[in-house]
């Protein structure tokens, strides 16, 4: 029996550091240690995920491009900003307290927009440690063909799904939907880091979900004598962890003060929010969310071939 795994991986050489060890068991059984030198286990699961391509990244990019993390700021919302009083004082000082109206996104002034934006990356903070379960799953392969190979198709990699709900909504951008990315940090030896794109509606108890999928089906070709049946044992780890996140809704752009009687020859003047309120916190409101994430890591570490009599 020669030592050969043809390891024709459908995409590329995921299992590059193949260890070819064929300790013969009794009765014509053979055990191939497919996985890396350090053997199976959580560290390998993590490495595995890191090396895999992100299948979802191209679709995420497309969705990001067509969606926005900003909406238009209304007059009503501007008045709710923590620093609003400073905006009023600023206008009073420059143009007086004469009869006036306040406007945002004036259709006659398209170059002076006012927006509410959320950050394009939100960090998830985990609460406590993940609760994990590992089990061995056996995938049966095909009988070896006439030319001395057997193939086994296994699913490997990492996937995760989350369900969150808003425990607190922001006072601006209410009921509006925003696109952003959620960044999930790594949990040492248990879960890899990953990012998903989500659409979040700013409304208390509103649910949103996200999912991430790096699972790949790879076909292993194992060189064996004719009449052998091969199977692969995979380690499948499922972890659940609770996480929270905070969304900062930041207002920026222009507020128009439109006077009934002209001031210094003009009826209206713009105030730029960022000029008068340079600290983003003074023109922000926050939403908070909480929920659970379940992550699944699959890695194969052993192929066993048995002679079929
Ligand atoms: C999202 O908002 C941030 C400001 O909070 C801005 O810098 C970024 O360009 C926005 N991204 C998109 C896609 O609108
Ligand atoms: C999975 O199989 C490996 C190798 O046979 C063994 O060492 C390990 O204890 C098994 N794990 C579980 C959870 O059954
Ligand atoms: C024969 O072996 C080659 C690899 O050398 C493989 O691609 C092919 O599928 C095998 N054919 C059969 C019938 O098993
Ligand atoms: C997360 O799951 C745990 C266990 O099922 C549950 O007790 C907890 O309430 C969940 N957290 C949220 C925010 O749904």
């Amino acid at each position: 029996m020669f030592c050969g795994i043809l390891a024709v991986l459908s995409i590329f050489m995921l299992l590059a550091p193949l260890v070819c060890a064929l300790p013969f068991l009794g009765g014509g059984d053979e055990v191939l240690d497919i996985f890396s030198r350090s053997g199976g286990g959580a560290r390998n699961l993590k490495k595995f995920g890191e090396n895999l391509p992100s299948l979802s990244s191209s679709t995420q990019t497309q969705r990001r491009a067509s969606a926005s993390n900003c909406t238009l700021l209304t007059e009503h919302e501007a008045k709710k900003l923590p620093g609003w009083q400073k905006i009023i004082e600023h206008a009073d000082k420059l143009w007086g307290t004469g009869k006036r109206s306040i406007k945002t996104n004036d259709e006659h002034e398209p170059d002076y927009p006012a927006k509410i934006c959320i950050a394009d990356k939100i960090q998830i903070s985990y609460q406590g440690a993940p609760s994990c379960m590992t089990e061995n799953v056996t995938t049966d392969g095909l009988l070896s063909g006439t030319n001395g190979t057997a193939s086994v198709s296994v699913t490997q990699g990492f996937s995760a799904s989350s369900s969150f709900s808003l425990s607190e909504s922001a006072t601006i951008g209410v009921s509006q939907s925003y696109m952003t990315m959620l960044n999930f940090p790594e949990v040492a030896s248990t879960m890899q880091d990953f990012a998903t794109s989500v659409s979040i509606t700013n409304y208390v108890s509103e649910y949103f979900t996200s999912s991430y999928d790096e699972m790949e089906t790879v076909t292993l070709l194992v060189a064996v004598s004719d009449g052998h049946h091969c199977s692969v044992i995979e380690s499948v780890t499922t972890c659940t962890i609770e996480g929270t996140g905070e969304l900062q809704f930041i207002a920026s752009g222009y507020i128009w003060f439109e006077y009934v009687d002209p001031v210094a020859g003009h009826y209206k003047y713009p105030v730029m929010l960022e000029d008068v309120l340079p600290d983003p916190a003074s023109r922000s409101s926050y939403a908070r969310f909480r929920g659970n994430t379940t992550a699944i890591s699959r890695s194969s570490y052993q192929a066993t071939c048995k002679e079929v009599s």
Side-chain angles (χ1 to χ4, degrees):
M1 181 68 47
F2 61 95
C3 169
I5 290 180
L6 299 172
V8 177
L9 304 175
S10 56
I11 315 288
F12 41 64
M13 295 298 283
L14 293 171
L15 304 175
L18 291 177
V19 175
C20 200
L22 290 176
F24 281 79
L25 303 181
D29 291 7
E30 43 193 74
V31 176
L32 310 180
D33 183 13
I34 292 181
F35 219 62
S36 69
R37 285 160 192 95
S38 51
R43 281 241 69 87
N44 282 332
L45 295 184
K46 192 189 151 287
K47 284 226 178 65
F48 208 86
E50 279 174 355
N51 295 337
L52 283 161
S54 169
L55 286 181
S56 40
S57 65
S58 63
T59 49
Q60 277 169 7
T61 311
Q62 282 160 16
R63 279 169 64 198
R64 288 285 299 143
S66 62
S68 170
N69 60 356
C70 299
T71 59
L72 297 179
L73 177 76
T74 64
E75 299 88 26
H76 183 65
E77 288 170 324
K79 290 171 184 170
K80 291 180 179 170
L81 297 176
W84 179 246
Q85 198 49 41
K86 273 199 173 159
I87 301 288
I88 294 293
E89 285 161 13
H90 180 83
D92 289 351
K93 206 171 82 191
L94 290 179
W95 310 299
T97 55
K99 197 166 164 39
R100 69 197 171 192
S101 60
I102 290 163
K103 260 191 191 167
T104 59
N105 293 301
D106 186 340
E107 61 191 273
H108 305 297
E109 306 289 351
D111 294 337
Y112 293 83
K115 300 182 292 180
I116 301 168
C117 296
I118 67 170
D120 44 15
K121 284 196 180 94
I122 312 287
Q123 195 70 14
I124 300 295
S125 307
Y126 296 131
Q127 309 294 302
S131 118
C132 295
M133 195 192 70
T134 299
E135 56 182 339
N136 284 334
V137 172
T138 302
T139 307
D140 275 333
L142 297 171
L143 263 175
S144 63
T146 48
N147 62 359
T149 59
S151 65
V152 190
S153 289
V154 292
T155 302
Q156 303 184 320
F158 180 83
S159 71
S161 60
S162 306
S163 167
F164 291 110
S165 73
L166 251 68
S167 53
E168 222 178 289
S169 65
T171 56
I172 56 175
V174 175
S175 297
Q176 305 264 25
S177 297
Y178 298 83
M179 287 297 294
T180 187
M181 292 293 280
L182 301 182
N183 276 359
F184 293 81
E186 156 186 349
V187 179
S189 310
T190 312
M191 270 167 57
Q192 67 170 78
D193 60 324
F194 61 100
T196 61
S197 73
V198 284
S199 169
I200 300 177
T201 302
N202 179 34
Y203 199 80
V204 173
S205 82
E206 196 77 357
Y207 274 91
F208 61 95
T209 58
S210 78
S211 63
Y212 182 76
D213 192 351
E214 274 186 353
M215 289 290 183
E216 293 269 337
T217 299
V218 295
T219 302
L220 305 172
L221 287 186
V222 186
V224 287
S225 314
D226 288 350
H228 275 60
H229 181 266
C230 298
S231 56
V232 169
I233 300 172
E234 277 188 285
S235 172
V236 179
T237 301
T238 306
C239 293
T240 299
I241 191 164
E242 193 170 320
T244 60
E246 185 182 80
L247 303 164
Q248 184 177 13
F249 293 68
I250 308 176
S252 63
Y254 299 88
I255 311 289
W256 284 99
F257 287 81
E258 199 168 339
Y259 288 84
V260 172
D261 299 315
V263 179
H266 292 280
Y267 283 98
K268 57 184 186 177
Y269 292 94
V271 176
M272 193 189 193
L273 284 168
E274 298 94 304
D275 279 351
V276 182
L277 304 172
D279 175 11
S282 61
R283 46 190 165 85
S284 293
S285 180
Y286 301 83
R288 286 170 186 88
F289 59 86
R290 174 179 285 272
N292 279 319
T293 298
T294 297
I296 301 173
S297 307
R298 295 180 71 108
S299 69
S300 64
Y301 55 86
Q302 220 172 58
T304 311
C305 297
K306 276 191 181 143
E307 191 158 14
V308 182
S309 44

